[in-house]
Amino acid sequence: MYKCSMKMANSSHHVSCGLDFCSVPDIRGSLQGASEAGYDFTCFPIVHPRFKREFISGKSKERPGAFTRSDLILAGSDWNNLIVGKLSPYINVDSEDPVVRKHSEEALNQELTYANHLGLPAVMLTLRGNNQINLARIFHSKMQAGSTYQVWVHLPMESPAVAASYYHNSEEELIKLQGDINTWGWWNKFRSVCNFEKKLGLALEVTPDIPPEEEIARWMGEPIKCLVLSTSLFVTNKKGYPVLLRPHQNLIKSFASLDIQVVVRGAIRHGCSKYYQQYLDHLWQSASHTDSLLTYARGYEDYLQCPLQPLMDNLESQTYEVFEKDPVKYNEYQRAIYSALLDRIPFEEKDTKVVVVMVVGAGRGPLVRAALNAAHKADRKIRVYAVEKNPNAVVTLQAQQEELWGDQVTVVSCDMRDWNSPEKADVLVSELLGSFGDNELSPECLDGAQKFLKGDGISIPCSYTSYLCPIQSSKLYNEVRLSKEKDKHALNHFETPYVVHLQNRFQLAPTQALFTFHHPNKDEVLDNTRYKCLSFKIAQDCVLHGFSGYFDTVLYKNINLSIVPETHSRGMFSWFPIFFPIREPVQLQSGNELEVHFWRLCSKKNVWYEWSITKPIPVSVHNPNGRSYTIGL
């Protein structure tokens, strides 16, 4: 089954689909039938649904014989890859009756032990209410003890009590139903008691009535392993085949980007189970995106990466090559330089004046090429200085200077902060921005480089702003929690920002602006430290796992680049967002005010961020004095 998942992650076009069986008289035949119908895995009861066992007292206590089928019926690889085990539905370890609870605990332990013995990739349990604390405790104990299987928690997207509420007129009856209506609340309590275990995932059942859009968005931030689709959701089209209604189609497509699987359950209503699989595969392929960002980012979804430190480290050739493929960024830079050249030299002076353009942090030369192309298009004369500290990239610049650019370009192998330019620049061009705008030390670099810019000179970019947004993502929280390193501070991994292509997350409130920098910096005292407090209004119950960071920049006049979700430059993939984790998840309720404090601090050698929460509960400062993460000057 997980081999199928990996295959799906690579191709990202075909659905990984499972078939659910309520009872399996012939396991081999059922498995073969599902495979012939195109299904990748099956969901079988671990024990016959009617084979109820008694452990303390009762007629079946001394019943002889095995409690379920032998593992010899199938090869080990089939158990390991093709079957999700379902727990017996009568198990109720949270019953108020102590005898029922004890019987259930023994039965549950027996089934989970056997699932571990078989090597099943996952077991599925069904949450039926808000008070499943003992069940959560037992599963947490099993996962802590090293169980090999994943745990799929099956529950409906919308509670049956919601549909039942339409038939209740009494306010008292509606109040009684409130605790049963919010299935996300059931799940949140269960996984919180389980300490957000990584092995815990959702088998989310799509209901006939689709919840509001904001609730669907909240589900999108949960670790969903599969969607469960009842055959009763399908209608028959003109040709007699099963299809979903448009609202359900759109819902399924919105979840397709999360690289999840689908389970079909219920009576076969359209002649053959393969028609459901074929239709879902068609739906999956129609949901595939052609956006260049998604194409580029495929395989990097929710994958934590440490931010680049180009001042301390020299970038590799492959890194330059990836950035240079961006179809948007350098076009916008060229437009900005073109516009600046036209403003700098009027038409009547175009043959007599030469604009001095300095490209600082030239890399392998994409901005030099953009400047030369802009000058050709604007019909203006320019002289270019390409300043680069990486000696390996300078080799590429010098080769292009000799073979293509000639005397029009001067290559300078030097740190821009230490270079003494022979003349002052009309236009200073750089691409020193990181995922958070200033996190690759663009302010410090450009403050040092602006000494060779004319008093009325133009900086491209001329300003940039960082943005912050609270998010919920169990997946990212667990990725951070598991990324411990030896010989580092115990909280190091929770005090380090990560660059990540955010996918499996829920945005808790609209994005807000944080820090802004302008260039050239006209302040008498250059100070790049910053502090700001932001307040976010929480619209529904959720869990805070950290903050996503973005930036936008004004290159020149009205020419912008942005990775802020609301204003993202379409097709641009040079930057993924940044993620600032917090040590412990914070439970938030609808109407709460979330107050976060953010600092950008500097020393002679380093720059670092610190962050803290003061509402609704105070949380201690993360990364004090840069103990876990700094950016080297």
Side-chain angles (χ1 to χ4, degrees):
M1 183 180 62
Y2 288 98
K3 290 178 181 175
C4 295
S5 296
M6 290 304 295
K7 194 186 300 179
M8 178 184 158
N10 292 332
S11 66
S12 80
H13 293 304
H14 293 281
V15 65
S16 177
C17 203
L19 188 60
D20 179 85
F21 291 81
C22 60
S23 181
V24 190
D26 178 9
I27 190 169
R28 286 178 180 168
S30 298
L31 200 57
Q32 183 177 353
S35 178
E36 290 173 353
Y39 290 90
D40 301 292
F41 63 96
T42 54
C43 300
F44 291 162
I46 298 173
V47 178
H48 193 288
R50 292 168 59 189
F51 192 0
K52 188 173 181 179
R53 287 139 288 143
E54 296 173 308
F55 297 89
I56 300 172
S57 61
K59 295 181 180 179
S60 64
K61 183 175 184 295
E62 307 299 333
R63 181 166 51 194
F67 73 94
T68 189
R69 57 176 65 86
S70 167
D71 57 350
L72 296 176
I73 295 176
L74 297 175
S77 59
D78 290 342
W79 290 114
N80 298 160
N81 295 295
L82 302 178
I83 296 174
V84 173
K86 298 195 300 179
L87 298 175
S88 295
Y90 68 83
I91 291 176
N92 182 9
V93 296
D94 287 280
S95 172
E96 294 181 2
D97 186 324
V99 176
V100 173
R101 184 172 66 249
K102 188 63 178 175
H103 276 305
S104 295
E105 287 177 352
E106 293 289 344
L108 177 60
N109 182 63
Q110 189 180 50
E111 294 188 17
L112 292 179
T113 302
Y114 196 64
N116 212 53
H117 167 74
L118 294 174
L120 298 184
V123 296
M124 187 186 295
L125 65 99
T126 300
L127 277 189
R128 293 185 173 83
N130 193 35
N131 187 28
Q132 303 274 272
I133 307 305
N134 193 32
L135 183 64
R137 178 196 65 81
I138 293 170
F139 270 97
H140 186 227
S141 299
K142 293 290 183 182
M143 288 183 280
Q144 286 290 299
S147 60
T148 58
Y149 46 77
Q150 301 277 323
V151 179
W152 288 10
V153 180
H154 171 228
L155 78 166
M157 189 175 283
E158 188 171 75
S159 169
V162 174
S165 67
Y166 300 143
Y167 302 97
H168 290 280
N169 296 320
S170 167
E171 287 188 13
E172 291 183 5
E173 291 176 325
L174 287 173
I175 291 171
K176 289 179 182 178
L177 286 171
Q178 286 300 316
D180 297 324
I181 283 178
N182 184 8
T183 56
W184 181 85
W186 305 357
W187 154 252
N188 186 45
K189 182 182 286 189
F190 186 87
R191 58 91 175 270
S192 297
V193 174
C194 289
N195 195 28
F196 296 85
E197 281 285 347
K198 188 176 182 181
K199 290 182 180 179
L200 202 62
L202 265 173
L204 189 60
E205 181 161 0
V206 178
T207 48
D209 294 324
I210 298 176
E213 191 174 321
E214 59 272 15
E215 291 187 20
I216 293 172
R218 182 171 59 183
W219 285 120
M220 295 282 284
E222 299 297 352
I224 299 175
K225 298 298 182 183
C226 72
L227 289 180
V228 180
L229 294 176
S230 171
T231 55
S232 62
L233 293 176
F234 291 84
V235 296
T236 307
N237 66 7
K238 293 178 181 178
K239 295 183 179 180
Y241 292 107
V243 295
L244 292 170
L245 295 173
R246 184 73 64 183
H248 284 106
Q249 288 183 36
N250 294 334
L251 179 69
I252 301 301
K253 288 179 179 180
S254 67
F255 281 94
S257 62
L258 296 182
D259 192 18
I260 59 177
Q261 298 167 295
V262 177
V263 171
V264 176
R265 68 180 307 190
I268 306 303
R269 300 167 184 266
H270 294 84
C272 182
S273 63
K274 73 177 180 181
Y275 296 143
Y276 301 109
Q277 190 277 336
Q278 289 173 347
Y279 174 74
L280 290 169
D281 193 52
H282 164 73
L283 204 61
W284 225 253
Q285 292 184 59
S286 67
S288 62
H289 299 281
T290 56
D291 184 270
S292 56
L293 171 61
L294 297 175
T295 302
Y296 165 74
R298 189 166 294 145
Y300 287 94
E301 294 88 351
D302 299 314
Y303 176 75
L304 301 178
Q305 303 174 73
C306 288
L308 294 173
Q309 297 215 21
L311 270 189
M312 290 181 63
D313 307 321
N314 290 325
L315 302 184
E316 297 177 348
S317 178
Q318 292 90 335
T319 306
Y320 286 120
E321 185 177 353
V322 168
F323 290 153
E324 289 166 13
K325 289 179 179 177
D326 194 304
V328 175
K329 178 170 72 171
Y330 296 111
N331 284 341
E332 295 303 289
Y333 264 99
Q334 183 173 316
R335 285 182 57 220
I337 298 170
Y338 169 81
S339 181
L341 291 177
L342 292 182
D343 289 346
R344 199 72 181 167
I345 300 182
F347 178 79
E348 56 271 14
E349 297 179 3
K350 70 183 182 70
D351 295 323
T352 57
K353 282 196 173 182
V354 178
V355 177
V356 177
V357 177
M358 290 184 181
V359 178
V360 291
R364 301 198 310 178
L367 287 182
V368 177
R369 293 191 288 274
L372 295 173
N373 291 338
H376 178 74
K377 184 178 179 183
D379 192 21
R380 299 294 190 271
K381 293 181 180 181
I382 67 170
R383 183 163 56 252
V384 180
Y385 290 89
V387 185
E388 176 54 52
K389 76 172 186 63
N390 182 351
N392 304 307
V394 169
V395 173
T396 308
L397 290 171
Q398 290 173 334
Q400 292 177 92
Q401 190 265 332
E402 290 178 10
E403 298 168 11
L404 300 172
W405 303 331
D407 295 338
Q408 196 175 8
V409 177
T410 301
V411 176
V412 180
S413 180
C414 183
D415 189 314
M416 68 185 78
R417 295 169 295 176
D418 302 327
W419 182 48
N420 292 315
S421 61
E423 58 182 325
K424 296 226 169 185
D426 295 285
V427 181
L428 184 69
V429 185
S430 64
E431 52 171 335
L432 305 170
L433 301 176
S435 297
F436 204 42
D438 59 88
N439 66 299
E440 291 184 11
L441 305 187
S442 177
E444 285 72 19
C445 291
L446 293 183
D447 285 353
Q450 73 180 28
K451 63 188 177 185
F452 43 75
L453 183 65
K454 291 179 180 177
D456 62 344
I458 298 168
S459 175
I460 299 176
C462 62
S463 69
Y464 38 89
T465 301
S466 55
Y467 291 78
L468 209 63
C469 174
I471 63 168
Q472 169 184 304
S473 177
S474 288
K475 187 171 184 180
L476 287 180
Y477 173 72
N478 276 306
E479 290 294 326
V480 174
R481 186 162 57 168
L482 295 173
S483 59
K484 296 180 181 178
E485 294 183 43
K486 291 182 179 179
D487 306 322
K488 294 247 177 139
H489 189 273
L491 296 172
N492 175 78
H493 47 300
F494 279 113
E495 297 186 337
T496 300
Y498 301 91
V499 172
V500 58
H501 176 46
L502 299 170
Q503 192 78 19
N504 190 189
R505 72 15 176 131
F506 168 49
Q507 185 172 311
L508 308 186
T511 307
Q512 293 188 32
L514 189 62
F515 304 141
T516 298
F517 295 86
H518 296 275
H519 298 288
N521 190 341
K522 302 292 187 180
D523 296 341
E524 291 184 13
V525 179
L526 301 181
D527 181 11
N528 290 317
T529 62
R530 295 287 190 276
Y531 163 72
K532 194 169 185 179
C533 174
L534 297 178
S535 181
F536 297 92
K537 189 73 172 179
I538 302 303
Q540 60 178 333
D541 294 357
C542 53
V543 181
L544 175 69
H545 290 114
F547 297 87
S548 56
Y550 312 91
F551 81 94
D552 67 14
T553 178
V554 178
L555 295 179
Y556 184 66
K557 289 188 172 178
N558 63 341
I559 302 171
N560 307 305
L561 293 174
S562 174
I563 65 166
V564 181
E566 293 85 349
T567 60
H568 197 289
S569 300
R570 184 172 178 81
M572 187 174 69
F573 56 72
S574 283
W575 297 276
F576 289 158
I578 199 167
F579 175 60
F580 293 90
I582 57 173
R583 295 179 202 126
E584 293 291 337
V586 175
Q587 301 284 342
L588 300 173
Q589 294 182 335
S590 176
N592 278 165
E593 179 186 0
L594 172 63
E595 192 173 81
V596 59
H597 300 255
F598 238 86
W599 294 263
R600 185 186 196 268
L601 301 170
C602 308
S603 69
K604 291 182 179 180
K605 294 184 177 179
N606 297 302
V607 173
W608 68 94
Y609 300 103
E610 297 180 14
W611 59 100
S612 176
I613 298 167
T614 51
K615 290 181 182 179
I617 59 169
V619 175
S620 61
V621 173
H622 288 58
N623 196 34
N625 296 318
R627 68 181 177 187
S628 300
Y629 173 80
T630 59
I631 313 157
L633 285 166

